[in-house]
Amino acid sequence: MDIRPILSTLRRHKTAAALIVFEVALTCAIICNAVFLIENRIARMQRPSGMVENELIRFSISGINEKNGADSLTESDLAVLRSMPGVKAATVTNQVRYGSSSWNTGLELTRGQPVPTANATTYLGDEQFLKTMGLKLVAGRDFNADEVLSYRKIREPGSDYPIASAIVTRSLADALFPGQDPIGKVFYGWGDSPTHVVGVVEHLLRPTEHFGAASADYSVIFPIQVDYNSGIYLIRTDPARRQEVLKSAAEALSKNGPVRILDVDNDTLENMSDKFHQTDRSMVWLLASVCIALLIVTALGIVGLASFWVQQRTKQIGVRRALGATRGQILRYFQTENFLLTSIGIGLGMALAFAINLALMRYYELPRLPGFYLPLGALCLWLLGQLAVYGPARRAAMVPPALATRSA
Amino acid sequence: MTGNSQFGYYVQLALRSFKRNKVLTALMVVAIALGIGAAMTTLTVFYVLSGDPLPGRSEHLFHPRMDPRPMAGYTPGDEPHEDMSRFDAETLLREKRGDRQALMSGGDVAIEPRRDGLPPFRQISRFTSTDFFAMFGVPFQYGGPWPGEDDARRARVAVISSTLNEKLFGGGDSVGKSLWIDKSEFRIVGVIRDWHPQPTFYELSGPGGFGEPEALFLPFSTSRDLRMSSQGNIDCWGDNNVDEEGNRSINAKCAWVQYWVELGTPEKVSAYRQYLQNYVAQQRSAGRFERPTAPKLDDLMQWLDFKRVVPADVRLQTWLAFGFLLVCLLNTVGLLLAKFLRRSSEIGVRRALGATRTAIFAQCLVEAGTVGLAGGLLGLLLAQLGLWAVRQQPVSYAALARLDPTMLLVTFLLAVAASVLAGLLPAWRACQVTPAIQLKSQ
């Protein structure tokens, strides 16, 4: 099909043609980036936390200025929890994924280096921490009961307890000791003494997203037991018995010891995860709705202008039909016209998409827009254009040749 | 015809034209409404979140920053630390170089109502010094701030919010009553009226800075005396197992205290800047400070800007909505163009009968404006719906997402301006129609 007549017609309708091109370009640019954002959010929500989330309960009960005997009460609390029906394991820690607090520290390979090698979050846990959380040990060993230190003791004025061992996540091990076996390697993160890596777990996410996606899985677990005042209990149970255990733990621990206050945030990890991801989820829905609305508006714009063109050229079409043009040729004329316009729009749109992506990379620390978005976006808009133009083009093809003989 | 009835006539023509092209007109109205609705929703959220939390006071409130951290981890151009070490904050407070000044930190205490049926509960609170209330214009329902001597005396005094007063004492003047906090007896000296600066500018490390303000205020000195547990960011360097207070002790190498100062005139501001520079120089020569970072003194709005207090998602949504609005407007331009040019013959006849170009232009613009107005009205409804949806979100700023009169006015102006703007080009093209050619082709 000769596209020259199409081009010369379009030249006479520069404004309308330019409008369609710009609309397609903007839609293309916005949708490429929106879909990319959606994909990023979904990836963030689906990233494995490393924990058996559907079996865990976060439970915290704090004293009223009861500093003495906190360690022994914590031991007694843990014993109560572990003996409760339905409880598989329980531990006490300083923080948990989806919580509000986060402990972080710079890790060094040599003491006093100007810039730490990595920044990681620090989980404090006992020998039941891995078992309770359901973390997968991929190398080395779990903590032994005799290497767990009391947080209160190591914080005592003048004390100097070396933290000899730690378990790290695989991605943190790769960051600290790239290409090496991390077991037995040494780093500095707590105090002046070296810490040896004794085990590697597959995953354990930081409590929050504040440190960015790249280091989200940089976690180190130190064999330190906090007391119930500064820590939280994590309880592992059957998924079906979580609510029951949540209630019975509250009853049992309230009776165990002096008057204490249940934390208002006590919940199952699954509920915490739900709340934590709520903003991501609503952002995904919002972006998706905007994409759909954009496609609809753009399609309607194309339908409107194409109908106008068909109406304006009715007589011309009649003449062409009378001169022997087939219905298919008329149909293809409008389809080709639309293809040309959307193609120019897509070309512009791709450039704009990358410009927007550059801005997003700068302000939102987003990765670069992958190349495969180009053909995908182009295909989507070509399809949309052809669908939108089909109706008006078919109407054009239906114009009877006899129209050419009429005066108006 | 007078100008007035002429306008009326054009509106009539516009309405008649809508009737002829119901679907097309409806599409344009809906497209504009969607664009306006989305833009207004996000703009309203953006507007309330980036607003001034203390109008009329904010320009006199300043947040000094300095850097007590060691050279390790320093890169040239680093900003000074956002919080202060307790040592620096207490020194600045003691030296009193501003009109008013207060140090503060978040707190987490246990309250025992000692009343039947009300169990003990934890309360997010603020540990501060007496100027906090006058400096930030906190309104009192009963009583007032504790006197300055109480800071020095580490007195067991408390200021509570009206909500907490309601919860603990069922409302009423509870000044002088006792309150058991972390097992110590405190005397209530003041009950504050509703006070909700948004964002909670003085402490932005919490849930994004848009949460509920604290309901209990205690002297900072007292909180340290009783070793109450603090809340909020703490950044430490070096070993702090020096005394029983650990990370919160006066000499701990930790930054965790917020500090604000009120400076009434530009001269006082520059004098304070000089004072900060001298202080930092002095600390550096004493060996306490290592970094060459210059201190900063931001006013309240500069501080909010630096902290990027408007959530990134909200900024992103605003951009997205305006991109969407732009597509909707381009769409409207195209459809209006089609609509007007379709009437070329009618316009040709009117031109031949003596209508001026201006008249045609005005008529088309009125039609475009009417579409815009209808789109704006519908868009307003959609914006209300959108804001309602925002309020259902579990975000800290949800409750703030409401349309105020300013935004209402902006909605209409934006809607009409946008659609008239969208109508300009088609109207101009329509009035270019030459009467002769159109008549000939008939």
Side-chain angles (χ1 to χ4, degrees), chain B residues 318-366:
Chain B
T318 311
W319 281 110
L320 186 72
F322 276 87
F324 180 59
L325 177 62
L326 194 59
V327 172
C328 290
L329 286 181
L330 276 178
N331 188 59
T332 311
V333 176
L335 293 183
L336 278 175
L337 190 69
K339 201 160 179 254
F340 291 162
L341 289 187
R342 207 181 266 193
R343 293 210 304 262
S344 287
S345 52
E346 177 195 318
I347 293 168
V349 173
R350 285 197 54 211
R351 287 277 284 121
L353 290 177
T356 60
R357 283 210 166 136
T358 325
I360 302 288
F361 188 72
Q363 186 207 328
C364 289
L365 219 52
V366 167

Short mmCIF file of all heavy atoms in Angstrom, two decimals, chain B residues 318-366:
data_model
loop_
_atom_site.label_atom_id
_atom_site.label_comp_id
_atom_site.label_asym_id
_atom_site.label_seq_id
_atom_site.Cartn_x
_atom_site.Cartn_y
_atom_site.Cartn_z
N THR B 318 1.15 12.69 42.66
CA THR B 318 0.81 14.01 42.12
C THR B 318 1.30 14.14 40.68
O THR B 318 0.57 14.59 39.80
CB THR B 318 1.44 15.10 43.00
OG1 THR B 318 1.14 14.81 44.36
CG2 THR B 318 0.89 16.47 42.66
N TRP B 319 2.53 13.73 40.42
CA TRP B 319 3.06 13.78 39.07
C TRP B 319 2.22 12.92 38.12
O TRP B 319 1.88 13.34 37.01
CB TRP B 319 4.52 13.28 39.03
CG TRP B 319 5.48 14.32 39.50
CD1 TRP B 319 6.19 14.30 40.66
CD2 TRP B 319 5.80 15.54 38.84
NE1 TRP B 319 6.95 15.45 40.75
CE2 TRP B 319 6.73 16.22 39.65
CE3 TRP B 319 5.40 16.13 37.64
CZ2 TRP B 319 7.27 17.45 39.30
CZ3 TRP B 319 5.94 17.36 37.29
CH2 TRP B 319 6.86 18.01 38.12
N LEU B 320 1.90 11.73 38.61
CA LEU B 320 1.12 10.79 37.80
C LEU B 320 -0.22 11.41 37.44
O LEU B 320 -0.65 11.37 36.28
CB LEU B 320 0.91 9.50 38.60
CG LEU B 320 0.24 8.36 37.88
CD1 LEU B 320 1.19 7.78 36.85
CD2 LEU B 320 -0.18 7.28 38.86
N ALA B 321 -0.88 12.01 38.43
CA ALA B 321 -2.20 12.59 38.19
C ALA B 321 -2.12 13.73 37.19
O ALA B 321 -2.99 13.88 36.32
CB ALA B 321 -2.80 13.08 39.50
N PHE B 322 -1.06 14.53 37.25
CA PHE B 322 -0.96 15.64 36.31
C PHE B 322 -0.63 15.15 34.90
O PHE B 322 -1.09 15.74 33.92
CB PHE B 322 0.00 16.71 36.82
CG PHE B 322 -0.69 17.64 37.76
CD1 PHE B 322 -0.78 17.36 39.11
CD2 PHE B 322 -1.35 18.75 37.27
CE1 PHE B 322 -1.46 18.17 39.97
CE2 PHE B 322 -2.05 19.58 38.13
CZ PHE B 322 -2.11 19.29 39.48
N GLY B 323 0.13 14.06 34.80
CA GLY B 323 0.36 13.44 33.49
C GLY B 323 -0.95 12.96 32.91
O GLY B 323 -1.26 13.17 31.73
N PHE B 324 -1.75 12.35 33.77
CA PHE B 324 -3.06 11.84 33.37
C PHE B 324 -3.95 13.00 32.92
O PHE B 324 -4.61 12.93 31.88
CB PHE B 324 -3.67 11.09 34.55
CG PHE B 324 -5.01 10.51 34.28
CD1 PHE B 324 -5.21 9.60 33.25
CD2 PHE B 324 -6.10 10.87 35.05
CE1 PHE B 324 -6.45 9.06 33.00
CE2 PHE B 324 -7.35 10.34 34.81
CZ PHE B 324 -7.53 9.43 33.79
N LEU B 325 -3.95 14.08 33.70
CA LEU B 325 -4.76 15.26 33.35
C LEU B 325 -4.33 15.80 31.99
O LEU B 325 -5.17 16.19 31.16
CB LEU B 325 -4.60 16.34 34.43
CG LEU B 325 -5.32 17.67 34.18
CD1 LEU B 325 -6.83 17.46 34.11
CD2 LEU B 325 -5.00 18.68 35.27
N LEU B 326 -3.04 15.81 31.73
CA LEU B 326 -2.52 16.32 30.46
C LEU B 326 -3.04 15.48 29.29
O LEU B 326 -3.48 16.02 28.26
CB LEU B 326 -0.99 16.30 30.49
CG LEU B 326 -0.29 17.09 29.39
CD1 LEU B 326 -0.69 18.55 29.44
CD2 LEU B 326 1.22 16.94 29.52
N VAL B 327 -3.02 14.15 29.46
CA VAL B 327 -3.55 13.27 28.40
C VAL B 327 -5.03 13.55 28.20
O VAL B 327 -5.51 13.66 27.07
CB VAL B 327 -3.31 11.79 28.75
CG1 VAL B 327 -4.03 10.88 27.77
CG2 VAL B 327 -1.82 11.48 28.74
N CYS B 328 -5.77 13.70 29.30
CA CYS B 328 -7.21 13.98 29.22
C CYS B 328 -7.44 15.30 28.48
O CYS B 328 -8.36 15.40 27.66
CB CYS B 328 -7.83 14.06 30.60
SG CYS B 328 -7.92 12.47 31.41
N LEU B 329 -6.61 16.30 28.73
CA LEU B 329 -6.78 17.59 28.08
C LEU B 329 -6.44 17.51 26.59
O LEU B 329 -7.16 18.06 25.76
CB LEU B 329 -5.92 18.66 28.77
CG LEU B 329 -6.45 19.11 30.13
CD1 LEU B 329 -5.55 20.17 30.73
CD2 LEU B 329 -7.87 19.64 30.03
N LEU B 330 -5.36 16.81 26.27
CA LEU B 330 -5.01 16.61 24.86
C LEU B 330 -6.17 15.96 24.14
O LEU B 330 -6.54 16.32 23.02
CB LEU B 330 -3.78 15.71 24.74
CG LEU B 330 -2.42 16.36 24.87
CD1 LEU B 330 -1.32 15.31 24.76
CD2 LEU B 330 -2.23 17.40 23.78
N ASN B 331 -6.75 14.98 24.79
CA ASN B 331 -7.90 14.26 24.26
C ASN B 331 -9.05 15.23 24.01
O ASN B 331 -9.69 15.20 22.96
CB ASN B 331 -8.28 13.20 25.27
CG ASN B 331 -9.32 12.26 24.75
OD1 ASN B 331 -9.09 11.62 23.75
ND2 ASN B 331 -10.47 12.22 25.39
N THR B 332 -9.30 16.12 24.99
CA THR B 332 -10.38 17.09 24.85
C THR B 332 -10.10 18.05 23.69
O THR B 332 -11.01 18.38 22.93
CB THR B 332 -10.55 17.87 26.16
OG1 THR B 332 -10.61 16.94 27.23
CG2 THR B 332 -11.81 18.71 26.14
N VAL B 333 -8.85 18.49 23.58
CA VAL B 333 -8.49 19.38 22.47
C VAL B 333 -8.85 18.71 21.15
O VAL B 333 -9.50 19.30 20.28
CB VAL B 333 -6.98 19.73 22.49
CG1 VAL B 333 -6.63 20.58 21.28
CG2 VAL B 333 -6.61 20.46 23.75
N GLY B 334 -8.45 17.45 21.00
CA GLY B 334 -8.71 16.71 19.77
C GLY B 334 -10.20 16.61 19.48
O GLY B 334 -10.67 16.88 18.37
N LEU B 335 -10.95 16.23 20.51
CA LEU B 335 -12.39 16.02 20.31
C LEU B 335 -13.11 17.34 20.03
O LEU B 335 -13.99 17.39 19.17
CB LEU B 335 -13.00 15.33 21.54
CG LEU B 335 -12.52 13.90 21.77
CD1 LEU B 335 -13.22 13.27 22.96
CD2 LEU B 335 -12.75 13.04 20.53
N LEU B 336 -12.71 18.40 20.73
CA LEU B 336 -13.32 19.71 20.48
C LEU B 336 -13.01 20.17 19.06
O LEU B 336 -13.88 20.71 18.36
CB LEU B 336 -12.81 20.76 21.47
CG LEU B 336 -13.47 20.79 22.84
CD1 LEU B 336 -12.77 21.79 23.74
CD2 LEU B 336 -14.95 21.15 22.73
N LEU B 337 -11.78 19.92 18.65
CA LEU B 337 -11.37 20.29 17.30
C LEU B 337 -12.27 19.58 16.28
O LEU B 337 -12.80 20.20 15.35
CB LEU B 337 -9.91 19.89 17.10
CG LEU B 337 -9.23 20.42 15.83
CD1 LEU B 337 -9.04 21.91 15.92
CD2 LEU B 337 -7.87 19.74 15.65
N ALA B 338 -12.44 18.28 16.48
CA ALA B 338 -13.28 17.50 15.58
C ALA B 338 -14.69 18.06 15.58
O ALA B 338 -15.33 18.21 14.54
CB ALA B 338 -13.27 16.04 16.00
N LYS B 339 -15.17 18.36 16.79
CA LYS B 339 -16.54 18.83 16.94
C LYS B 339 -16.76 20.16 16.21
O LYS B 339 -17.73 20.35 15.49
CB LYS B 339 -16.81 19.00 18.43
CG LYS B 339 -18.25 18.99 18.80
CD LYS B 339 -18.41 18.69 20.29
CE LYS B 339 -19.86 18.70 20.65
NZ LYS B 339 -20.23 19.90 21.40
N PHE B 340 -15.84 21.09 16.40
CA PHE B 340 -16.00 22.43 15.82
C PHE B 340 -15.84 22.36 14.29
O PHE B 340 -16.58 23.01 13.56
CB PHE B 340 -14.99 23.42 16.41
CG PHE B 340 -15.25 23.74 17.85
CD1 PHE B 340 -14.26 24.31 18.64
CD2 PHE B 340 -16.49 23.47 18.42
CE1 PHE B 340 -14.50 24.60 19.97
CE2 PHE B 340 -16.72 23.76 19.75
CZ PHE B 340 -15.74 24.32 20.53
N LEU B 341 -14.83 21.61 13.85
CA LEU B 341 -14.58 21.58 12.42
C LEU B 341 -15.69 20.84 11.68
O LEU B 341 -15.94 21.07 10.51
CB LEU B 341 -13.22 20.95 12.12
CG LEU B 341 -12.03 21.82 12.53
CD1 LEU B 341 -10.73 21.20 12.06
CD2 LEU B 341 -12.16 23.23 11.96
N ARG B 342 -16.34 19.93 12.39
CA ARG B 342 -17.45 19.22 11.78
C ARG B 342 -18.56 20.21 11.43
O ARG B 342 -19.38 19.98 10.56
CB ARG B 342 -17.97 18.18 12.78
CG ARG B 342 -18.63 16.99 12.14
CD ARG B 342 -19.11 16.06 13.20
NE ARG B 342 -18.12 15.02 13.47
CZ ARG B 342 -18.41 13.94 14.19
NH1 ARG B 342 -19.60 13.79 14.71
NH2 ARG B 342 -17.50 13.02 14.39
N ARG B 343 -18.59 21.31 12.19
CA ARG B 343 -19.63 22.31 11.94
C ARG B 343 -19.13 23.40 11.00
O ARG B 343 -19.71 24.48 10.94
CB ARG B 343 -20.03 22.94 13.28
CG ARG B 343 -20.74 21.97 14.19
CD ARG B 343 -21.71 22.68 15.10
NE ARG B 343 -21.08 23.71 15.88
CZ ARG B 343 -20.67 23.54 17.14
NH1 ARG B 343 -20.85 22.39 17.72
NH2 ARG B 343 -20.12 24.52 17.79
N SER B 344 -18.05 23.11 10.29
CA SER B 344 -17.45 24.13 9.42
C SER B 344 -18.48 24.80 8.52
O SER B 344 -18.48 26.01 8.36
CB SER B 344 -16.36 23.50 8.55
OG SER B 344 -15.24 23.24 9.34
N SER B 345 -19.37 23.99 7.94
CA SER B 345 -20.34 24.56 7.01
C SER B 345 -21.28 25.52 7.72
O SER B 345 -21.55 26.63 7.25
CB SER B 345 -21.11 23.45 6.31
OG SER B 345 -21.64 22.58 7.27
N GLU B 346 -21.70 25.11 8.93
CA GLU B 346 -22.59 25.97 9.72
C GLU B 346 -21.88 27.29 10.05
O GLU B 346 -22.44 28.38 9.91
CB GLU B 346 -22.97 25.22 11.00
CG GLU B 346 -23.83 25.98 11.96
CD GLU B 346 -23.83 25.31 13.34
OE1 GLU B 346 -23.93 24.07 13.38
OE2 GLU B 346 -23.73 26.04 14.34
N ILE B 347 -20.61 27.15 10.44
CA ILE B 347 -19.83 28.34 10.77
C ILE B 347 -19.68 29.22 9.53
O ILE B 347 -19.81 30.44 9.59
CB ILE B 347 -18.45 27.95 11.33
CG1 ILE B 347 -18.64 27.25 12.69
CG2 ILE B 347 -17.55 29.17 11.50
CD1 ILE B 347 -17.40 26.57 13.21
N GLY B 348 -19.45 28.56 8.37
CA GLY B 348 -19.30 29.30 7.12
C GLY B 348 -20.53 30.14 6.84
O GLY B 348 -20.44 31.32 6.48
N VAL B 349 -21.70 29.54 7.06
CA VAL B 349 -22.95 30.26 6.81
C VAL B 349 -23.05 31.46 7.75
O VAL B 349 -23.35 32.59 7.33
CB VAL B 349 -24.16 29.32 7.01
CG1 VAL B 349 -25.47 30.10 6.90
CG2 VAL B 349 -24.12 28.20 5.99
N ARG B 350 -22.74 31.22 9.02
CA ARG B 350 -22.84 32.32 9.98
C ARG B 350 -21.86 33.44 9.64
O ARG B 350 -22.18 34.61 9.76
CB ARG B 350 -22.57 31.81 11.40
CG ARG B 350 -23.74 31.01 11.96
CD ARG B 350 -23.64 30.88 13.45
NE ARG B 350 -23.49 32.16 14.12
CZ ARG B 350 -22.83 32.33 15.25
NH1 ARG B 350 -22.26 31.31 15.83
NH2 ARG B 350 -22.74 33.53 15.80
N ARG B 351 -20.67 33.04 9.20
CA ARG B 351 -19.67 34.04 8.82
C ARG B 351 -20.18 34.83 7.61
O ARG B 351 -20.09 36.05 7.58
CB ARG B 351 -18.34 33.36 8.46
CG ARG B 351 -17.61 32.82 9.65
CD ARG B 351 -16.78 33.87 10.36
NE ARG B 351 -15.55 34.21 9.64
CZ ARG B 351 -15.26 35.42 9.22
NH1 ARG B 351 -16.09 36.40 9.40
NH2 ARG B 351 -14.12 35.66 8.59
N ALA B 352 -20.77 34.12 6.62
CA ALA B 352 -21.26 34.77 5.41
C ALA B 352 -22.39 35.73 5.75
O ALA B 352 -22.55 36.78 5.11
CB ALA B 352 -21.74 33.73 4.40
N LEU B 353 -23.15 35.36 6.82
CA LEU B 353 -24.26 36.23 7.21
C LEU B 353 -23.79 37.40 8.07
O LEU B 353 -24.61 38.14 8.61
CB LEU B 353 -25.31 35.42 7.96
CG LEU B 353 -26.09 34.43 7.08
CD1 LEU B 353 -27.06 33.60 7.91
CD2 LEU B 353 -26.85 35.16 5.98
N GLY B 354 -22.51 37.49 8.28
CA GLY B 354 -21.99 38.70 8.94
C GLY B 354 -21.42 38.50 10.33
O GLY B 354 -20.99 39.46 10.96
N ALA B 355 -21.39 37.25 10.83
CA ALA B 355 -20.79 37.03 12.16
C ALA B 355 -19.29 37.30 12.07
O ALA B 355 -18.64 36.86 11.12
CB ALA B 355 -21.05 35.60 12.61
N THR B 356 -18.77 38.02 13.04
CA THR B 356 -17.33 38.30 13.02
C THR B 356 -16.57 37.08 13.52
O THR B 356 -17.15 36.19 14.16
CB THR B 356 -16.98 39.48 13.93
OG1 THR B 356 -17.38 39.11 15.26
CG2 THR B 356 -17.69 40.73 13.50
N ARG B 357 -15.27 37.06 13.22
CA ARG B 357 -14.42 35.97 13.73
C ARG B 357 -14.49 35.93 15.25
O ARG B 357 -14.53 34.86 15.85
CB ARG B 357 -12.98 36.23 13.32
CG ARG B 357 -12.76 35.90 11.87
CD ARG B 357 -11.35 35.45 11.64
NE ARG B 357 -11.36 34.86 10.31
CZ ARG B 357 -10.41 35.07 9.40
NH1 ARG B 357 -9.37 35.81 9.69
NH2 ARG B 357 -10.50 34.51 8.21
N THR B 358 -14.46 37.11 15.87
CA THR B 358 -14.50 37.18 17.34
C THR B 358 -15.75 36.50 17.87
O THR B 358 -15.70 35.79 18.86
CB THR B 358 -14.49 38.65 17.79
OG1 THR B 358 -13.70 39.40 16.89
CG2 THR B 358 -14.02 38.80 19.20
N ALA B 359 -16.86 36.73 17.17
CA ALA B 359 -18.12 36.13 17.63
C ALA B 359 -18.03 34.61 17.58
O ALA B 359 -18.43 33.91 18.52
CB ALA B 359 -19.28 36.63 16.77
N ILE B 360 -17.51 34.09 16.45
CA ILE B 360 -17.37 32.63 16.32
C ILE B 360 -16.44 32.11 17.41
O ILE B 360 -16.73 31.12 18.10
CB ILE B 360 -16.77 32.27 14.94
CG1 ILE B 360 -17.64 32.81 13.81
CG2 ILE B 360 -16.59 30.75 14.82
CD1 ILE B 360 -18.94 32.12 13.62
N PHE B 361 -15.31 32.83 17.59
CA PHE B 361 -14.32 32.43 18.59
C PHE B 361 -14.97 32.39 19.98
O PHE B 361 -14.83 31.41 20.72
CB PHE B 361 -13.17 33.43 18.56
CG PHE B 361 -12.00 33.03 19.42
CD1 PHE B 361 -11.18 31.99 19.04
CD2 PHE B 361 -11.73 33.70 20.61
CE1 PHE B 361 -10.10 31.62 19.82
CE2 PHE B 361 -10.65 33.33 21.39
CZ PHE B 361 -9.84 32.29 20.99
N ALA B 362 -15.71 33.47 20.29
CA ALA B 362 -16.35 33.54 21.61
C ALA B 362 -17.34 32.40 21.79
O ALA B 362 -17.39 31.76 22.84
CB ALA B 362 -17.05 34.89 21.77
N GLN B 363 -18.10 32.12 20.72
CA GLN B 363 -19.11 31.07 20.82
C GLN B 363 -18.45 29.72 21.11
O GLN B 363 -18.88 28.97 21.99
CB GLN B 363 -19.90 30.99 19.52
CG GLN B 363 -21.06 30.01 19.62
CD GLN B 363 -21.43 29.42 18.27
OE1 GLN B 363 -21.29 30.10 17.25
NE2 GLN B 363 -21.90 28.20 18.28
N CYS B 364 -17.37 29.43 20.37
CA CYS B 364 -16.68 28.15 20.57
C CYS B 364 -16.07 28.07 21.97
O CYS B 364 -16.10 27.02 22.62
CB CYS B 364 -15.59 27.97 19.52
SG CYS B 364 -16.25 27.68 17.89
N LEU B 365 -15.52 29.20 22.42
CA LEU B 365 -14.90 29.22 23.73
C LEU B 365 -15.93 29.00 24.84
O LEU B 365 -15.66 28.30 25.82
CB LEU B 365 -14.19 30.56 23.93
CG LEU B 365 -12.85 30.47 24.65
CD1 LEU B 365 -11.95 29.45 23.98
CD2 LEU B 365 -12.18 31.83 24.68
N VAL B 366 -17.12 29.60 24.66
CA VAL B 366 -18.18 29.38 25.64
C VAL B 366 -18.55 27.91 25.68
O VAL B 366 -18.71 27.32 26.75
CB VAL B 366 -19.42 30.24 25.30
CG1 VAL B 366 -20.62 29.78 26.12
CG2 VAL B 366 -19.13 31.70 25.58
#
